[in-house]
């Protein structure tokens, strides 16, 4: 895949706000609707939007709202994202609910959600996942 999706930012989870640099325009910020002490920042990036959630001053969740133009592009983008957030560990599919798939990283420290209906992909820490649900 070549094109705008190749330039998606790949921030590292658990970094501070000052350590995370996103190439994009900050369009919105506000408190997280389900998690106390969490702040969400919404950026316009090439291909769509990204939502970054900082909780206890650390990045705990990244949502890529960057639908691809084809299934092949979507698969390539997700392969790149899952490799980055997997950090060498494999991902295990937990459930497919007909709208999307939920994954856990093999070390049980990270989760991922892929909405194939909207082609949005989320990565986050299990600590934050337990708080927001």
């Amino acid at each position: 895949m070549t094109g705008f999706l190749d330039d998606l930012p790949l921030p590292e989870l658990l970094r501070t706000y000052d350590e995370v640099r996103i190439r994009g325009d900050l369009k919105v910020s506000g408190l997280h609707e389900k998690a106390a002490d969490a702040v969400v920042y919404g950026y316009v990036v090439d291909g769509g939007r990204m939502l970054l959630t900082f909780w206890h001053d650390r990045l705990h969740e990244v949502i890529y709202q960057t639908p691809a133009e084809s299934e092949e592009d979507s698969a390539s983008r997700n392969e790149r994202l899952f490799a980055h957030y997997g950090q060498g560990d494999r991902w295990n599919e937990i459930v497919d609910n007909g709208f999307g798939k939920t994954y856990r990283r093999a070390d049980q420290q990270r989760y991922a959600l892929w909405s194939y209906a909207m082609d949005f992909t989320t990565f986050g820490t299990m600590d934050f996942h337990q708080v927001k649900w």
Side-chain angles (χ1 to χ4, degrees):
M1 169 176 74
T2 58
F4 66 90
L5 295 175
D6 290 336
D7 293 328
L8 281 178
L10 298 171
E12 297 287 335
L13 294 174
L14 299 177
R15 300 288 186 198
T16 66
Y17 181 83
D18 291 337
E19 294 173 315
V20 175
R21 300 284 182 236
I22 300 299
R23 293 180 318 276
D25 296 324
L26 178 63
K27 291 296 183 182
V28 66
S29 65
L31 297 177
H32 193 281
E33 62 186 32
K34 295 182 181 177
D37 301 323
V39 179
V40 180
Y41 296 91
Y43 291 86
V44 174
V45 296
D46 287 342
R49 294 178 39 164
M50 280 180 70
L51 302 175
L52 281 66
T53 301
F54 288 83
W55 178 57
H56 297 289
D57 300 319
R58 299 283 176 178
L59 180 62
H60 278 268
E61 184 177 72
V62 179
I63 302 173
Y64 292 88
Q65 297 176 339
T66 54
E69 293 184 13
S70 70
E71 286 184 26
E72 180 181 280
D73 285 351
S74 178
S76 294
R77 183 209 52 233
N78 282 352
E79 183 178 328
R80 181 171 166 242
L81 294 175
F82 275 85
H84 173 74
Y85 291 103
Q87 299 176 314
D89 280 342
R90 74 181 183 287
W91 291 92
N92 300 310
E93 184 178 323
I94 303 300
V95 68
D96 181 341
N97 65 7
F99 176 77
K101 296 182 180 186
T102 302
Y103 300 87
R104 295 285 183 278
R105 201 169 70 176
D107 68 359
Q108 300 295 307
Q109 297 300 305
R110 303 285 188 265
Y111 70 92
L113 308 168
W114 176 48
S115 166
Y116 46 76
M118 295 187 305
D119 198 22
F120 291 177
T121 312
T122 301
F123 295 91
T125 66
M126 288 303 298
D127 287 340
F128 182 69
H129 188 268
Q130 292 170 359
V131 167
K132 78 174 197 174
W133 295 110

